[in-house]
Amino acid sequence: MDAFDPTAWSAALLGLFCIAVAIGALRQPGLWRQMVDEIDGSPALQLISGFCELSVGAAIFLLNPWIQGDLLAMIVKTIGGLMMAEALVVMAMSDIYFHFWLKNLAALHRLWPLFTLMAGLALAIAGMMRLA
């Protein structure tokens, strides 16, 4: 039996998540802006979304080792750390943070989902190849 590889599983699952949300955003333009608008208008959603992102980011960060020379492990661990940092910013300074994103989502409404789709494909493929 092979050893459990948290990096491969984290990359594959995070990649599949990114692919799914990108497809949803490409199918329904303006969907992400609507979600950010809703979160921006609700302190409860700000706290809940920040806590959820902090929890997932912490799980990714803590489960994945930092292995010099293992590019996927370093990328996945960095993503987990960035998720935790973003979650703390969302909970502490959501008014400033969401104002920034609302401007960017309006200007780049097609570019962000395409970037997310490409990043998701790369992560999913790298994770699944490592699992194979």
Side-chain angles (χ1 to χ4, degrees), residues 1-125:
M1 182 172 158
D2 292 2
F4 175 71
D5 186 353
T7 298
W9 281 105
S10 295
L13 294 172
L14 190 58
L16 291 173
F17 171 79
C18 289
I19 292 167
V21 298
I23 289 171
L26 291 169
R27 285 188 56 248
Q28 300 174 27
L31 181 67
W32 284 2
R33 180 171 174 96
Q34 181 182 350
M35 284 189 287
V36 171
D37 274 334
E38 289 175 5
I39 294 170
D40 185 41
S42 172
L45 283 177
Q46 293 166 11
L47 183 64
I48 291 168
S49 63
F51 179 75
C52 289
E53 185 177 15
L54 181 64
S55 299
V56 172
I60 291 170
F61 184 82
L62 294 172
L63 287 175
N64 287 284
W66 183 270
I67 302 170
Q68 290 290 91
D70 185 345
L71 185 60
L72 186 59
M74 294 179 349
I75 289 171
V76 170
K77 183 131 183 136
T78 300
I79 290 171
L82 291 173
M83 288 175 71
M84 290 189 304
E86 181 181 44
L88 294 172
V89 170
V90 165
M91 291 187 286
M93 297 181 280
S94 58
D95 56 333
I96 298 167
Y97 187 71
F98 286 115
H99 180 71
F100 165 78
W101 274 113
L102 287 171
K103 288 194 316 191
N104 281 320
L105 286 173
L108 305 169
H109 72 282
R110 283 292 212 207
L111 189 59
W112 279 116
L114 288 172
F115 173 76
T116 303
L117 180 64
M118 295 299 116
L121 283 169
L123 280 171
I125 290 169

